[in-house]
Amino acid sequence: MQSEQSADDGRVAYERHGEGQSLVLLHGGMAPREYWTPVLPHLEGYAAVVPQRPGFGTCLDGPDETPSGEVLVREAEYVRALVEAVDGDPILFGHSFGALTAIEAARDAAVEAVVAYEPAVLPDDFRAEADLAARMDALLEAGERREAVKRYVEQVLHPEGIEDLDGWLAEWPVWPDCVDLAEEVVRMNRAVERYRLPDRLDVDAPVLVMTGTEGPEFLRESARAVHEALPHSRLVEFDGVSHSGPGEAPETVSAEMDAFLRHRTSVVDTAVGSSERRR
């Protein structure tokens, strides 16, 4: 673990793997930094920077210090501090809430490019009825911590249902340790439910937005909406890949990212972003 001093005298701690242009990897809400372990072997030519996102494993604080309305702002500030700490202008690669954080940070940070797998953005019609945070909170108040986290897993990772959730969880590497983060996930969900995607995202860097056909429909819809709100973007959809795309299909996702980064100037030169499907 390397540590750098940030401009506000806070500590910006991260792991660094490999040599090359800095590639900052931002994990999602229920995943630790180990989420990126299967991806790292496919990042040859990049210096992968793997931080622990604040509030998710190492930098826990209470809602009095950082209420849900400030969670995204706090994490975007943390990413900007990372951008200042690493060598050169880095590439940001985020998954889920990490992808939303990457895009928001890139609105006011010097980055070379952004790669975003299914940003945690709710379409307007879905957000109007979104109650995951409230349902989880009610279960936490009733002392049902594991059940609260299960509701998150069901909605985000198994939107079409799953016959044996307990059996699946028994094989999930982060279970049951992730139950300790239940309150953090509620706070993150409230931040997501509050977020409104603007008509235009002022990100100068080229952005690769990725999604999979086996994930939640609302996240596929939001990936398309994010793509359309960006001035320089490409949208790629993978057949047969779920919301866990980077960890589930690391070779496929990393190859697409590498191809995009090698030809990213063509995206900037194109006024309207492109959309592609991968089988």
Side-chain angles (χ1 to χ4, degrees):
M1 179 76 77
Q2 295 189 10
S3 180
E4 299 288 343
Q5 191 77 24
S6 70
D8 61 357
D9 294 328
R11 301 302 297 185
V12 179
Y14 57 88
E15 295 177 354
R16 185 181 178 93
H17 304 262
E19 298 295 332
Q21 184 171 15
S22 295
L23 175 64
V24 179
L25 304 178
L26 304 169
H27 57 80
M30 189 62 77
R33 61 175 174 266
E34 288 78 14
Y35 174 84
W36 298 105
T37 298
V39 182
L40 292 174
H42 304 284
L43 300 180
E44 184 177 355
Y46 299 98
V49 174
V50 188
Q52 184 80 27
R53 284 181 33 238
F56 291 83
T58 58
C59 304
L60 299 175
D61 59 19
D64 292 340
E65 182 175 347
T66 307
S68 59
E70 298 177 11
V71 167
L72 183 57
V73 172
R74 177 193 64 175
E75 297 206 12
E77 289 174 350
Y78 180 81
V79 173
R80 293 187 190 103
L82 273 169
V83 169
E84 294 295 324
V86 301
D87 296 332
D89 292 344
I91 299 156
L92 304 181
F93 183 2
H95 169 241
S96 194
F97 193 70
L100 174 58
T101 303
I103 291 170
E104 284 297 308
R107 298 177 76 175
D108 189 28
V111 300
E112 189 81 9
V114 178
V115 180
Y117 192 95
E118 293 192 348
V121 176
L122 303 184
D124 289 341
D125 55 347
F126 187 92
R127 189 182 62 250
E129 300 180 2
D131 63 350
L132 179 58
R135 288 188 288 121
M136 289 184 67
D137 204 28
L139 287 166
L140 288 175
E141 290 183 5
E144 300 286 346
R145 298 183 62 82
R146 290 195 175 204
E147 291 302 313
V149 175
K150 285 180 181 180
R151 300 295 82 78
Y152 175 87
V153 173
E154 286 173 338
Q155 179 164 314
V156 177
L157 299 182
H158 300 287
E160 302 302 322
I162 182 171
E163 185 174 339
D164 183 12
L165 177 60
D166 288 333
W168 185 89
L169 287 171
E171 301 296 324
W172 197 32
V174 301
W175 184 267
D177 292 348
C178 62
V179 175
D180 293 339
L181 297 176
E183 287 85 0
E184 284 297 301
V185 174
V186 169
R187 197 168 11 157
M188 178 197 69
N189 282 331
R190 291 197 187 282
V192 170
E193 291 170 6
R194 289 169 180 260
Y195 182 78
R196 303 291 191 273
L197 181 68
D199 292 335
R200 177 183 170 88
L201 286 163
D202 297 320
V203 178
D204 293 333
V207 182
L208 172 62
V209 182
M210 296 185 285
T211 184
T213 61
E214 299 305 305
E217 172 58 34
F218 73 88
L219 286 177
R220 296 201 300 277
E221 181 181 340
S222 67
R224 292 188 287 269
V226 169
H227 164 63
E228 292 170 359
L230 289 161
H232 311 294
S233 71
R234 177 173 295 156
L235 174 67
V236 173
E237 183 177 75
F238 299 103
D239 275 345
V241 179
S242 75
H243 181 58
S244 299
E248 174 185 326
E251 184 174 4
T252 300
V253 171
S254 298
E256 191 66 41
M257 178 199 74
D258 190 55
F260 170 80
L261 294 175
R262 283 188 283 107
H263 301 95
R264 58 185 176 271
T265 55
S266 64
V267 178
V268 175
D269 292 339
T270 303
V272 179
S274 62
S275 177
E276 304 170 29
R277 185 157 183 169
R278 296 287 185 264
R279 299 185 183 277

